C-alpha cells in the first residue's frame, strides 16, 4: 500500500524529526509506505519499528508519525475511525 501526502507548504526534504499527521483514505492490506511531497516512498512502521499488518491503518484513521531518517515511525493515534464491524 502506497499513500501520498501533499502538505501545504510542501516539504522540500525529509529531515529526521519531521512530524506528519495523516488521515487515511483507505485501509491498508499489508505493509505500507507514504510518499510526502513526491520525495520518495518511505515505509510506515508502528512505534516498535514493526510493519503494519492488514487493516491496522483503517480508512478515516488519523495517525501521527515522525521521520527517523529512513522511515516513518508511529507516534500516536489522533483519531480512530470505528464502524459497526470494528471494536476498540
Amino acid at each position: 500500500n502506497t499513500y501520498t501526502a501533499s502538505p501545504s507548504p510542501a516539504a522540500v526534504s525529509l529531515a529526521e524529526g519531521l512530524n506528519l499527521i495523516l488521515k487515511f483514505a483507505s485501509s491498508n492490506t499489508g505493509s505500507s509506505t507514504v510518499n510526502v511531497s513526491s520525495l520518495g516512498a518511505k515505509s510506515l512502521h508502528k512505534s516498535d519499528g514493526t510493519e503494519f499488518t492488514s487493516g491496522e491503518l483503517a480508512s478515516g484513521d488519523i495517525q501521527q508519525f515522525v521521520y527517523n531518517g529512513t522511515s516513518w515511525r508511529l507516534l500516536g493515534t489522533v483519531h480512530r475511525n470505528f464502524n459497526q464491524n470494528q471494536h476498540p
Side-chain angles (χ1 to χ4, degrees):
N1 302 106
T2 299
Y3 298 97
T4 59
S6 303
S8 180
V12 295
S13 66
L14 297 179
E16 189 172 340
L18 180 65
N19 277 263
L20 181 67
I21 296 176
L22 296 173
K23 181 176 183 180
F24 291 91
S26 61
S27 298
N28 71 318
T29 58
S31 61
S32 301
T33 61
V34 63
N35 189 349
V36 178
S37 299
S38 299
L39 295 172
K42 303 293 182 187
S43 297
L44 292 172
H45 291 123
K46 298 180 206 178
S47 57
D48 66 2
T50 59
E51 293 186 353
F52 287 96
T53 59
S54 181
E56 289 186 314
L57 300 170
S59 178
D61 282 0
I62 301 173
Q63 307 276 4
Q64 183 175 6
F65 294 86
V66 64
Y67 188 66
N68 67 8
T70 58
S71 65
W72 293 96
R73 186 75 61 100
L74 179 68
L75 286 179
T77 300
V78 177
H79 172 77
R80 181 80 173 145
N81 187 31
F82 292 106
N83 66 35
Q84 62 188 9
N85 297 320
Q86 296 173 310
H87 303 283

